[in-house]
Amino acid sequence: GYESFDYEEALLSSNGFRFEVWAGDNADTAGKRRFAAGAVGLLIRWTEVDDEFLSATPGLRAIVRYGVGYENIDIDAATRAGVKVANVQNYGNHAVSDHALALMYACARGLPTGERTIRTGFGAPPFERIFEFHEKTLGIVGLGRIGGTLCGKACHLFARVIAYDPYVDSERFATLGAGRTSWAELLGHSEVISIHCNHTAETEEMFDSEAFAAMKRRPIVINTARGAIVEEAALIDALDQGRIHSAGIDVYRTELASELPARVIDHPRIVATGHYAWYSERSHVELQRRAADNLLDMLTGGTPDDCLNPEVDGGRSQFGEPE
């Protein structure tokens, strides 16, 4: 999926490993299993790794997911198999927060609608409710690395920034200048809501019909986190019934363009982009470098900070020398 794997190949080859890139179809699961059968380490994006996959790769010691999310990897299964797993954290903070801001402005100013109607509606706003951020409240869901970076920028743009994150201490809220608030208060008091939490069982479709019904100020909703955090049908209903102003969406339940939900990407009040919020000319280089560094670290006995199952000690016992 990347233009070049020069860094990965140079790093791993210089340390005694043979580096190969899957050239087949992304949907060819069986082909991927055959390709990976003799591997000791894997760098993956959206390949599903489960018990069946792991049973086909008996020599595997380590997996690194390019990116932060790892819902396509069964961590428990990997741990049982003695395979260390890492993602790449703390990269692209500025890229994603910049993209979230871009989506906010595009929604608030009606840019896609304005572009489509420029010939028929020149001189007129695309819709009536175009508001200014300096008078409004931004609510951030998830005050981690990306949500925190966004907060630092947004404090200078909005009248107030509030955030909901039960796993972050009050000191971080104070340092970032965000007001600590409950889930209900964030939904009821925000004119713009930006989602920056992880996708877990707890956050699965946390933006459902009940959540949208609790939004009192008809906010803009931005999602650059994970598609499964927002219930698609509830989002469309909220837009069609005027309970929210608009939405900026960069992530979906699918990563296949042919399966993207038409009612989302074609909705007149949704600004849809193709899951590239993470990308900048700097961040994609950093992502690939750190993924390769993490893989080499685990293959040579280390446990990088990004390791998701550090309790795995040494990996599978049947592991030969690198080829």
Side-chain angles (χ1 to χ4, degrees):
Y2 300 113
E3 289 185 4
S4 168
F5 295 92
D6 290 349
Y7 179 83
E8 294 94 322
E9 182 170 16
L11 178 70
L12 292 161
S13 297
S14 66
N15 282 275
F17 297 92
R18 185 174 71 249
F19 181 78
E20 297 180 4
V21 178
W22 165 249
D25 188 271
N26 185 46
D28 185 2
T29 303
K32 287 182 182 181
R33 285 199 296 266
R34 290 192 297 270
F35 174 77
V40 295
L42 289 177
L43 292 159
I44 67 171
R45 293 182 76 182
W46 293 107
T47 298
E48 294 285 338
V49 176
D50 52 16
D51 282 313
E52 184 178 6
F53 186 97
L54 292 164
S55 68
T57 54
L60 192 62
R61 280 282 301 274
I63 301 170
V64 177
R65 163 65 160 79
Y66 282 113
V68 178
Y70 51 89
E71 55 265 40
N72 54 310
I73 304 174
D74 186 334
I75 301 297
D76 291 337
T79 301
R80 289 193 300 270
V83 178
K84 284 188 175 181
V85 180
N87 58 357
V88 181
Q89 302 173 32
N90 201 31
Y91 88 98
N93 300 352
H94 284 286
V96 179
S97 57
D98 283 353
H99 198 88
L101 285 170
L103 289 174
M104 291 178 202
Y105 277 110
C107 287
R109 303 299 303 177
L111 298 188
T113 304
E115 182 181 25
R116 289 193 299 268
T117 60
I118 187 170
R119 294 186 182 278
T120 58
F122 188 82
F127 43 72
E128 182 179 352
R129 189 175 177 233
I130 294 181
F131 56 83
E132 299 175 7
F133 290 163
H134 78 278
E135 301 176 320
K136 304 300 182 182
T137 295
L138 168 67
I140 299 175
V141 180
L143 204 59
R145 55 185 187 83
I146 295 174
T149 303
L150 173 64
C151 183
K153 299 173 181 179
C155 282
H156 304 285
L157 301 173
F158 287 81
R160 186 169 66 127
V161 176
I162 59 176
Y164 170 71
D165 193 327
Y167 301 102
V168 169
D169 59 37
S170 297
E171 183 178 353
R172 179 165 174 80
F173 279 83
T175 299
L176 292 171
R180 185 165 206 153
T181 187
S182 68
W183 174 237
E185 290 170 337
L186 182 136
L187 295 176
H189 295 162
S190 303
E191 279 94 7
V192 180
I193 296 173
S194 195
I195 304 168
H196 299 285
C197 57
N198 292 324
H199 174 218
T200 65
E202 182 181 4
T203 63
E204 171 81 14
E205 294 192 346
M206 68 185 297
F207 282 83
D208 55 14
S209 57
E210 183 177 347
F212 285 114
M215 297 178 184
K216 305 301 182 185
R217 299 190 178 183
R218 198 179 167 226
I220 295 169
V221 176
I222 304 296
N223 188 11
T224 56
R226 282 292 182 264
I229 296 171
V230 177
E231 185 184 351
E232 180 185 301
L235 171 68
I236 300 300
D237 286 345
L239 285 166
D240 290 346
Q241 296 174 22
R243 291 199 299 273
I244 64 174
H245 177 282
S246 52
I249 305 295
D250 184 62
V251 287
Y252 313 87
R253 278 194 174 273
T254 180
E255 287 298 311
L256 298 176
S258 61
E259 297 178 2
L260 289 173
R263 62 180 181 172
V264 173
I265 63 174
D266 295 332
H267 197 284
R269 297 301 286 263
I270 291 179
V271 180
T273 57
H275 198 168
Y276 65 89
W278 64 273
Y279 180 86
S280 72
E281 59 186 6
R282 175 179 177 177
S283 67
H284 86 95
V285 173
E286 181 183 7
L287 170 61
Q288 289 188 252
R289 285 179 175 271
R290 289 187 50 195
D293 292 345
N294 282 346
L295 183 61
L296 179 62
D297 191 1
M298 292 191 294
L299 287 176
T300 53
T303 303
D305 291 341
D306 295 342
C307 186
L308 299 166
N309 56 349
E311 65 273 23
V312 175
D313 183 16
R316 299 181 180 186
S317 58
Q318 300 302 315
F319 175 60
E321 294 299 316
E323 297 179 346

